[in-house]
Amino acid sequence: MTELDRIDLSIIRELQRNGRITVTDLASRVGLSKTPCQVRMRRLEEQGYITGYTALLNQTKLGLAHIAFAQVTLNDTSSRALAAFNEAVRQISAVEQCHMMAANFDYLLKIRTRNMAEYRQVLGEQVSSLPHVLQTSTFVVMESVKDAGL
């Protein structure tokens, strides 16, 4: 992998702001002509710096305004137990993010649902029944101040 220079970093920042920007506009913003900009974009994609393009959705308009973070503690943290948990948690569509933590708990899940009742159902019937779950603790979001890494 090559090291990123300031132009590569500018391309990445601009694409984070607007993944649908035309190559012509992107090239203009980062101070390149179209072809060198395309070459750099392709290289950033091939080297795995850019892993895809996605649409940011208004989750409230989609009826998914309730966000909770759940701390999950496992009763077994062997490699086999962690792999089983990881595989199973990926199957729960309400889990937006799952992070293994270096803390007094093992995982932090970001769970998005329509309301508290639906969250309780997801937690009680899906998260709590994941392999090796010993206990959970919930933190409900009151307001999202910054989201989507922008």
Side-chain angles (χ1 to χ4, degrees):
M1 286 209 195
T2 60
E3 251 187 69
L4 300 180
D5 63 16
R6 68 173 183 76
I7 295 175
D8 291 332
L9 294 172
S10 293
I11 289 170
I12 289 169
R13 272 192 301 277
E14 291 297 329
L15 288 171
Q16 280 184 296
R17 286 189 198 113
N18 180 3
R20 295 182 63 179
I21 190 171
T22 65
V23 175
T24 303
D25 287 343
L26 177 61
S28 172
R29 288 184 187 205
V30 300
L32 293 175
S33 61
K34 184 177 174 180
T35 300
C37 186
Q38 282 178 313
V39 168
R40 282 177 179 256
M41 282 178 61
R42 192 171 304 115
R43 179 177 49 78
L44 291 168
E45 291 167 355
E46 289 170 355
Q47 292 181 347
Y49 290 103
I50 298 172
T51 59
Y53 300 87
T54 188
L56 299 176
L57 306 176
N58 183 326
Q59 299 291 357
T60 302
K61 285 191 177 206
L62 293 170
L64 296 169
H66 186 269
I67 302 170
F69 288 88
Q71 291 180 349
V72 178
T73 303
L74 303 183
N75 60 17
D76 180 359
T77 56
S78 66
S79 294
R80 181 175 286 163
L82 296 175
F85 179 89
N86 293 347
E87 183 178 331
V89 76
R90 289 184 185 109
Q91 306 309 310
I92 302 175
S93 62
V95 175
E96 245 182 38
Q97 298 177 9
C98 174
H99 304 276
M100 183 186 293
M101 306 300 290
N104 62 351
F105 57 95
D106 299 304
Y107 286 91
L108 183 65
L109 310 181
K110 179 181 180 185
I111 301 173
R112 186 181 291 276
T113 57
R114 291 179 298 192
N115 51 45
M116 180 58 84
E118 185 175 306
Y119 173 76
R120 286 182 62 197
Q121 181 273 328
V122 169
L123 183 70
E125 295 179 19
Q126 296 178 52
V127 174
S128 294
S129 64
L130 288 169
H132 307 287
V133 170
L134 175 65
Q135 70 181 34
T136 63
S137 183
T138 295
F139 301 88
V140 176
V141 172
M142 293 177 15
E143 176 183 359
S144 291
V145 177
K146 182 178 179 183
D147 204 356
L150 300 177

